Amino acid sequence: MNVTGIVVEYNPFHNGHLYHINESKRVTGADVIVAVMSGNFLQRGEPAVADKWSRAAVALKHGADIVFELPTVYATQNAQTFAFGAVSLLDQLQCVHSLCFGSESGSIQELQSVSSILADEPEEFKGYLQKFLSAGLSYPKAMHEALAMIGIPLYQRNSTAQPNNTLGLMYLLALHKLKSSITPVTIQRIAAEYHQETITSDSIASATAIRKLANTGSSEQIKEYVPDAITALFSNTYRTMLHWDHFQDLLFYKIYSMNIEELRDIIDVDEGMEYRLKKIVGNANSVNELIEMLKVKRFTWTRIQRMLVHILLDMKKSKLASLQVTPYARILGFTDQGRQLLQIAKKKSAIPLVTKWGKQQLLYADYDHVANRIYSLIEQQHRRDDWSLSQLIHREFSKPPIQQ
Amino acid sequence: MNVTGIVVEYNPFHNGHLYHINESKRVTGADVIVAVMSGNFLQRGEPAVADKWSRAAVALKHGADIVFELPTVYATQNAQTFAFGAVSLLDQLQCVHSLCFGSESGSIQELQSVSSILADEPEEFKGYLQKFLSAGLSYPKAMHEALAMIGIPLYQRNSTAQPNNTLGLMYLLALHKLKSSITPVTIQRIAAEYHQETITSDSIASATAIRKLANTGSSEQIKEYVPDAITALFSNTYRTMLHWDHFQDLLFYKIYSMNIEELRDIIDVDEGMEYRLKKIVGNANSVNELIEMLKVKRFTWTRIQRMLVHILLDMKKSKLASLQVTPYARILGFTDQGRQLLQIAKKKSAIPLVTKWGKQQLLYADYDHVANRIYSLIEQQHRRDDWSLSQLIHREFSKPPIQQ
């Protein structure tokens, strides 16, 4: 079996994702697509528009053969940690042959030439990187500038200035760090840039644009850009796409009740942000207002959102200082094709494949449980069906993987 | 000036409270009534039906001359700690002559004969008390049984079986402990028992009955039992009386995200309740359901509610193991008569009179600030007016005392 891994969020699944899956299959000649998907909280530091089970079901309907959940402790973190978690999960399965990701560059050679510098970290590069980071630049920007200082030509450096390239570089770095046998492959992104808010194609729009459309315009309008399963999900199950505002009470409550020391111990609460948080939170009337007020040059919107998710989920530096390789692979669902691979993976995998949470104590799994409970609490209030809160919470423990 | 102190919650203020104020004035001959009132969270372990400022304003309109806020760390605790906080605040002012409280007994001699046993704590009594407490009896029940064992006749013991008598005993104990010069006086409660849910009088109903009426029936129906200012408050400011359900998300979120050790450090989380809480919270679909599921013989409904408020407000044993005398007296409002007493109190008082929170670090005040923020967060969503969240939060810091 030829197995290709992909790393996804599907927030929500749209036509561009469909293109990515199909192209991944075509380019790698894969029989099986294994997706590692973020759960209910995402890398951009946001709650997902719909629960992970629903998002996994749509993915299985559209070409993914297995959907694993990326554990929460990686899913909500910066590109480097996110990529390391996802790649290490795929690597630990020991039956994935390639990793196929979208990038603006579309050239694996171009990305690898940069990633090898990042991996080797020559002293000169390291020095500049540190300098620019200390000066308050974001990681991608600091990387870009440091590469310039050591004489990397612009056409190569350019690849670091775009978000999917950066994520791609982080996948390559993780593969290198893990000495993985997985072959990286990249597909050029088409039609919509990552985060692009306006829509410039007839059928493909970024998830950001789709969420914006769904939240401001009519949900009818998203039909052109997403498969039917997504419109069905929102007309049958959800009243709206969930977003930060729905979690505002919980977030504000949490910040109100934490003291400076507790805040400082949360991942991404750095450089005095704990003081700004305590000072500012009382003036904010919405999550957006809070982020606007917290923004300073060296903290991007996404960086702040991630910090807020870490506060919401109580992700402490003292507990999660340096993450090890993903210690388990939670299966959200699979197709018939996926089932066959799971038979093989069960024998080969270096980490347990979790179909149901049992009594076993798995490192980091507590954070998945907390994330599930918190998400369920808010989700329940925005569903159209009559699922009770306790039913939603227990879904996490009683629901077998989706079989498509 | 003849000054009488009273200890109140006014949740909400009703005709029985009016009777209590008028009787207190009549019986003690007071020129000035000083009320110590719980803030936004109450002794029964509940959020208040309306914010403390509004409740204080109504009290000032109906006979109270000064309203002080009982600091949160006392206000939400068992009868003994609640009474100690309130009495010590009055005592520290050093210009209060009597303390007048309602009781079922109506006889100060009767209550004092029991309280002197409680204060002296003869070894025999102490032994029985411990034994009954260990056997899982509530404090009032254990006290009643221990008094029986040392031969106190039933007619005396009876006074311990009723909630206002118990609270009265705790006032007497606190006065004794503080060697206070304040003279205790009691008035017999009329017409409605504490907590009584049905209404048996034309004009007086318990706050419990009134809240029930407001939450189930029409708010029109409460008019007979409360002064106009209360009906005006709910027709102008609040859409509903606030109660636990409104705080459910925050409470559940907090329990979801706490671990066993953190729970165990919360005041009133005792005897393995931390395990029950973690186990049960995922099954509960409402605060009422949660309390029902948590109830065991030795934990009354109120006891559990108090535990839940302590969780909500993060009141830790490790920080609040044994409370000292009230370290400040926060003024919520006063009348002209009250202002005259405040001139005297400013000179005599052993603790600072706080009209506005300043830079000074006052022990326990952090809990008032947190309680204010949490209450404002929920309050904002149930007000009829256009106060924003940040305005409500800053009211705590910018609002001068009400002057009536």
Side-chain angles (χ1 to χ4, degrees):
Chain A
M1 276 180 144
N2 183 347
V3 183
T4 293
I6 58 178
V7 182
V8 302
E9 300 212 293
Y10 296 155
N11 191 49
F13 191 95
H14 58 61
N15 294 347
H17 296 131
L18 192 56
Y19 172 85
H20 171 226
I21 291 186
N22 290 334
E23 276 294 283
S24 298
K25 271 192 187 161
R26 192 183 63 77
V27 170
T28 64
D31 309 307
V32 187
I33 294 285
V34 175
V36 181
M37 188 186 82
S38 302
N40 291 332
F41 294 92
L42 307 176
Q43 202 267 326
R44 277 166 59 82
E46 289 174 328
V49 295
D51 74 285
K52 63 193 177 193
W53 296 101
S54 305
R55 282 156 48 236
V58 175
L60 292 169
K61 227 176 215 149
H62 293 90
D65 293 298
I66 308 176
V67 180
F68 288 107
E69 179 181 353
L70 180 61
T72 307
V73 293
Y74 307 97
T76 60
Q77 298 226 36
N78 64 32
Q80 200 165 357
T81 308
F82 174 85
F84 179 73
V87 170
S88 74
L89 192 155
L90 290 169
D91 186 60
Q92 300 288 302
L93 295 175
Q94 300 192 352
C95 55
V96 176
H97 305 105
S98 51
L99 167 65
C100 189
F101 55 89
S103 64
E104 292 86 357
S105 152
S107 156
I108 202 74
Q109 287 74 24
E110 192 180 300
L111 294 172
Q112 269 180 325
S113 71
V114 178
S115 85
S116 66
I117 300 170
L118 299 179
D120 295 342
E121 277 204 324
E123 281 305 319
E124 200 190 354
F125 170 76
K126 214 169 157 179
Y128 284 120
L129 186 67
Q130 271 314 319
K131 192 183 137 196
F132 292 124
L133 286 172
S134 309
L137 264 56
S138 67
Y139 188 83
K141 281 214 174 117
M143 190 165 72
H144 189 78
E145 295 302 315
L147 289 171
M149 296 303 283
I150 62 166
I152 305 297
L154 184 63
Y155 76 92
Q156 274 192 6
R157 273 186 289 131
N158 260 349
S159 66
T160 64
Q162 291 160 302
N164 277 277
N165 285 343
T166 304
L167 207 48
L169 289 172
M170 296 304 142
Y171 294 140
L172 297 178
L173 257 183
L175 288 171
H176 179 272
K177 195 171 170 188
L178 295 162
K179 300 185 175 47
S180 175
S181 62
I182 295 174
T183 309
V185 178
T186 190
I187 297 167
Q188 189 153 28
R189 280 175 71 92
I190 53 161
E193 300 291 317
Y194 191 62
H195 301 182
Q196 183 179 314
E197 293 202 7
T198 53
I199 293 171
T200 49
S201 150
D202 281 350
S203 63
I204 295 188
S206 74
T208 307
I210 292 168
R211 290 195 298 271
K212 203 177 164 192
L213 210 54
N215 289 328
T216 57
S218 133
S219 61
E220 279 300 296
Q221 291 179 269
I222 71 167
K223 278 191 178 170
E224 322 234 325
Y225 309 103
V226 298
D228 293 346
I230 283 291
T231 45
L233 176 62
F234 285 93
S235 55
N236 297 333
T237 309
Y238 286 93
R239 277 194 218 100
T240 180
M241 290 189 182
L242 295 190
H243 52 78
W244 251 125
D245 286 353
H246 301 120
F247 292 76
Q248 181 191 320
D249 283 2
L250 306 189
L251 175 69
F252 281 23
Y253 163 66
K254 176 79 175 174
I255 302 174
Y256 294 163
S257 57
M258 290 175 91
N259 63 33
I260 291 288
E261 289 68 36
E262 288 166 333
L263 273 170
R264 190 183 293 138
D265 189 31
I266 297 291
I267 291 176
D268 283 340
V269 179
D270 297 320
E271 305 180 34
M273 252 309 172
E274 63 272 26
Y275 296 100
R276 283 176 64 76
L277 269 163
K278 282 307 265 189
K279 198 172 161 190
I280 285 171
V281 68
N283 302 329
N285 292 298
S286 69
V287 179
N288 265 12
E289 256 187 52
L290 179 64
I291 299 175
E292 277 295 354
M293 290 174 187
L294 288 172
K295 256 178 67 182
V296 283
K297 201 179 148 213
R298 67 190 184 284
F299 281 75
T300 61
W301 188 279
T302 314
R303 170 79 169 70
I304 292 175
Q305 283 202 148
R306 269 201 295 270
M307 175 181 82
L308 298 180
V309 162
H310 297 154
I311 292 173
L312 183 73
L313 301 181
D314 206 39
M315 287 173 56
K316 297 191 172 92
K317 290 172 190 162
S318 53
K319 286 193 178 169
L320 300 169
S322 63
L323 294 174
Q324 305 173 32
V325 294
T326 311
Y328 53 88
R330 172 78 197 276
I331 305 167
L332 294 177
F334 50 83
T335 62
D336 283 343
Q337 194 73 354
R339 187 202 321 271
Q340 290 177 43
L341 178 65
L342 283 173
Q343 300 304 330
I344 300 169
K346 253 178 215 162
K347 289 172 199 145
K348 289 199 166 182
S349 174
I351 52 176
L353 305 185
V354 178
T355 48
K356 222 172 183 176
W357 295 115
K359 295 265 175 216
Q360 43 184 164
Q361 294 286 318
L362 291 166
L363 190 63
Y364 308 148
D366 279 357
Y367 291 91
D368 294 334
H369 301 331
V370 169
N372 165 58
R373 288 180 169 194
I374 295 172
Y375 195 86
S376 298
L377 185 63
I378 302 306
E379 183 192 354
Q380 199 268 335
Q381 299 160 10
H382 298 276
R383 286 177 74 104
R384 291 182 200 271
D385 54 26
D386 58 356
W387 280 68
S388 71
L389 174 58
S390 55
Q391 282 174 311
L392 285 176
I393 285 177
H394 285 291
R395 171 185 56 176
E396 178 73 6
F397 299 93
S398 60
K399 189 175 167 61
I402 301 161
Q403 299 190 32
Q404 198 105 44
Chain B
M1 276 179 143
N2 183 348
V3 183
T4 292
I6 58 178
V7 182
V8 302
E9 299 212 293
Y10 296 153
N11 192 48
F13 191 95
H14 58 62
N15 294 346
H17 296 131
L18 191 57
Y19 172 85
H20 171 224
I21 290 185
N22 290 334
E23 277 295 283
S24 297
K25 272 192 186 158
R26 193 185 61 80
V27 170
T28 64
D31 309 304
V32 187
I33 292 286
V34 176
V36 181
M37 188 186 81
S38 301
N40 291 332
F41 294 92
L42 308 175
Q43 202 267 327
R44 278 167 57 82
E46 288 174 328
V49 296
D51 73 286
K52 62 193 178 192
W53 297 101
S54 304
R55 283 155 46 236
V58 175
L60 292 169
K61 223 173 217 151
H62 293 91
D65 293 297
I66 307 177
V67 180
F68 288 107
E69 179 180 353
L70 180 61
T72 307
V73 294
Y74 307 97
T76 61
Q77 297 226 38
N78 63 33
Q80 202 166 355
T81 309
F82 173 86
F84 179 73
V87 170
S88 73
L89 193 155
L90 290 169
D91 185 60
Q92 299 289 303
L93 295 175
Q94 300 192 352
C95 54
V96 176
H97 305 106
S98 52
L99 166 66
C100 188
F101 55 90
S103 65
E104 293 85 358
S105 152
S107 157
I108 202 73
Q109 289 73 25
E110 193 180 297
L111 293 172
Q112 270 180 323
S113 71
V114 178
S115 84
S116 66
I117 299 170
L118 298 179
D120 295 342
E121 275 207 324
E123 279 306 318
E124 200 188 354
F125 169 75
K126 213 169 157 181
Y128 283 120
L129 186 66
Q130 269 316 318
K131 192 182 137 194
F132 290 124
L133 285 173
S134 310
L137 262 57
S138 67
Y139 187 85
K141 282 217 174 117
M143 187 165 75
H144 189 80
E145 294 303 315
L147 289 171
M149 295 303 282
I150 63 166
I152 304 298
L154 185 62
Y155 75 94
Q156 273 191 6
R157 273 186 289 131
N158 261 349
S159 66
T160 66
Q162 291 159 303
N164 277 279
N165 284 344
T166 303
L167 207 47
L169 289 172
M170 296 304 141
Y171 295 139
L172 297 178
L173 256 183
L175 289 171
H176 181 271
K177 197 171 167 187
L178 294 162
K179 299 186 175 49
S180 175
S181 63
I182 295 174
T183 310
V185 178
T186 191
I187 298 167
Q188 189 151 28
R189 279 175 72 90
I190 54 161
E193 300 292 318
Y194 192 62
H195 303 182
Q196 183 178 310
E197 294 201 7
T198 53
I199 294 170
T200 48
S201 149
D202 282 348
S203 64
I204 295 189
S206 74
T208 307
I210 291 167
R211 289 194 299 271
K212 202 177 165 190
L213 210 54
N215 290 328
T216 57
S218 134
S219 61
E220 280 299 297
Q221 290 180 271
I222 71 168
K223 279 189 176 170
E224 322 235 323
Y225 310 105
V226 299
D228 294 345
I230 284 291
T231 45
L233 177 62
F234 285 93
S235 55
N236 297 334
T237 309
Y238 286 93
R239 277 194 217 97
T240 180
M241 291 188 180
L242 293 191
H243 52 78
W244 251 125
D245 287 352
H246 300 121
F247 292 77
Q248 181 190 320
D249 283 1
L250 306 189
L251 176 69
F252 280 23
Y253 163 67
K254 175 80 173 171
I255 302 174
Y256 294 164
S257 56
M258 290 176 89
N259 64 31
I260 292 289
E261 289 67 36
E262 288 165 335
L263 273 169
R264 190 183 295 137
D265 189 30
I266 297 290
I267 290 175
D268 282 342
V269 179
D270 296 321
E271 303 180 36
M273 252 306 173
E274 62 273 28
Y275 296 101
R276 284 176 64 77
L277 269 164
K278 281 306 264 188
K279 200 173 159 188
I280 283 170
V281 68
N283 302 327
N285 292 299
S286 69
V287 179
N288 264 11
E289 255 187 53
L290 179 64
I291 300 174
E292 277 295 354
M293 290 176 187
L294 288 173
K295 258 178 65 183
V296 285
K297 201 180 149 213
R298 67 189 183 285
F299 281 76
T300 60
W301 186 278
T302 313
R303 171 80 169 69
I304 292 175
Q305 283 202 147
R306 269 200 296 269
M307 176 179 81
L308 297 181
V309 162
H310 296 153
I311 292 174
L312 184 72
L313 301 181
D314 206 39
M315 286 173 57
K316 296 192 171 92
K317 289 172 190 162
S318 53
K319 287 193 179 171
L320 299 168
S322 64
L323 295 175
Q324 303 173 34
V325 293
T326 309
Y328 53 89
R330 171 81 198 273
I331 305 167
L332 293 177
F334 50 83
T335 61
D336 283 342
Q337 194 74 356
R339 185 200 324 267
Q340 292 178 43
L341 178 64
L342 283 173
Q343 300 303 334
I344 301 168
K346 253 178 217 162
K347 289 174 200 144
K348 289 198 167 185
S349 174
I351 52 177
L353 305 186
V354 178
T355 48
K356 222 173 183 175
W357 294 115
K359 295 264 175 215
Q360 45 183 164
Q361 294 287 318
L362 291 166
L363 189 64
Y364 308 149
D366 279 355
Y367 292 91
D368 294 334
H369 301 331
V370 169
N372 164 58
R373 289 181 167 195
I374 294 173
Y375 194 86
S376 298
L377 184 63
I378 302 306
E379 182 192 354
Q380 198 268 336
Q381 300 160 11
H382 298 277
R383 287 177 75 104
R384 291 182 200 271
D385 54 26
D386 58 358
W387 280 67
S388 71
L389 175 57
S390 54
Q391 282 175 311
L392 286 176
I393 285 177
H394 287 290
R395 169 186 56 178
E396 178 72 6
F397 299 94
S398 60
K399 190 177 166 60
I402 301 161
Q403 299 190 34
Q404 197 105 45

